[in-house]
Amino acid sequence: LAKTTQPISMDSYEGQEVNITCSHNNIATNDYITWYQQFPSQGPRFIIQGYKTKVTNEVASLFIPADRKSSTLSLPRVSLSDTAVYYCLVAVGYGGATNKLIFGTGTLLAVQP
Amino acid sequence: DSGVTQTPKHLITATGQRVTLRCSPRSGDLSVYWYQQSLDQGLQFLIHYYNGEERAKGNILERFSAQQFPDLHSELNLSSLELGDSALYFCASRASGGANTGELFFGEGSRLTVL
């Protein structure tokens, strides 16, 4: 199972773009990269998922370099409500051993006015 | 709303007692994962069930057990409770096929307080 490493915390200001990088050096061929957002006392919520290159949805972009040993979650123009913990999760796609989905320590993003 | 339902939302009990937490996954999801999150800590994987069968165990104590029933709901049983068992317990379900390859849908959690 790929182990993930993220910064413990990051600070930003409203309106700025925030990039959070996750390292997963031993990612396997079948592994996908998924990011979650968690607010205090709430369950994590799916943000975005990708396998390679770039994925964009209405809330974020995910950049994955060719070697896939890291990924970067990009949040455009953050607001105070984006203050949360962000987790990256590397999980094998269906057909592989997806029985243990182990989250890393997460990154606490603090957005200030 | 993730579609995953957990009950009870809050539970206060005493040391030495036993409690049962319940999880109903999204309709059609066969996989249920349980996680424990202590105060200001990350998500600790406990156990995974798929279509009624245990598939993987994480750092689950022997005092804890779980099962998944034929209707796919799952229960996490915590016994001989200790103060350190106070935490948020989350269950998550996962789609059972198609293009989805990792998205977990979490419930709102059950907050257990052991006094």
Side-chain angles (χ1 to χ4, degrees):
Chain A
L1 293 168
K3 178 181 176 181
T4 61
T5 303
Q6 304 174 232
I8 297 296
S9 63
M10 295 181 69
D11 292 325
S12 183
Y13 292 94
E14 282 191 293
Q16 289 189 332
E17 177 185 75
V18 171
N19 297 308
I20 306 174
T21 297
C22 179
S23 296
H24 26 80
N25 290 321
N26 58 338
I27 189 169
T29 302
N30 292 336
D31 287 344
Y32 281 73
I33 301 149
T34 311
W35 284 80
Y36 292 82
Q37 176 191 56
Q38 186 182 28
F39 297 112
S41 298
Q42 294 186 23
R45 186 181 66 173
F46 172 89
I47 301 173
I48 197 166
Q49 181 181 84
Y51 182 80
K52 62 181 178 181
T53 62
K54 177 184 175 181
V55 179
T56 298
N57 63 21
E58 63 277 8
V59 298
S61 294
L62 179 60
F63 299 91
I64 305 169
D67 66 6
R68 302 199 330 118
K69 292 181 183 290
S70 66
S71 59
T72 299
L73 174 72
S74 181
L75 304 173
R77 298 179 298 282
V78 295
S79 64
L80 295 176
S81 63
D82 292 317
T83 294
V85 177
Y86 293 82
Y87 294 95
C88 84
L89 175 66
V90 176
V92 181
Y94 277 100
T98 52
N99 297 323
K100 288 187 181 182
L101 294 181
I102 298 175
F103 286 79
T105 54
T107 298
L108 174 58
L109 172 64
V111 180
Q112 301 176 28
Chain B
D1 183 6
S2 67
V4 177
T5 303
Q6 289 188 248
T7 57
K9 286 185 171 27
H10 301 276
L11 188 56
I12 301 174
T13 189
T15 55
Q17 295 298 304
R18 172 189 171 95
V19 299
T20 297
L21 309 180
R22 181 188 169 103
C23 169
S24 294
R26 292 189 322 154
S27 177
D29 285 355
L30 302 179
S31 272
V32 170
Y33 297 79
W34 285 96
Y35 291 86
Q36 179 194 54
Q37 188 171 43
S38 302
L39 187 63
D40 295 331
Q41 298 294 312
L43 295 155
Q44 298 297 317
F45 168 72
L46 294 178
I47 199 164
H48 169 218
Y49 275 84
Y50 179 84
N51 200 22
E53 294 185 1
E54 179 186 304
R55 285 296 183 92
K57 275 187 175 181
N59 297 323
I60 187 168
L61 300 172
E62 288 190 6
R63 300 184 284 108
F64 296 1
S65 64
Q67 59 185 129
Q68 186 179 28
F69 295 86
D71 67 352
L72 300 177
H73 90 271
S74 178
E75 293 181 357
L76 180 66
N77 301 298
L78 316 175
S79 62
S80 302
L81 286 168
E82 301 175 359
L83 297 178
D85 297 328
S86 296
L88 261 172
Y89 291 85
F90 289 106
C91 118
S93 73
R94 188 176 187 214
S96 303
N100 189 305
T101 54
E103 182 174 354
L104 292 173
F105 296 87
F106 282 82
E108 290 302 310
S110 293
R111 180 175 294 281
L112 172 65
T113 302
V114 182
L115 301 176

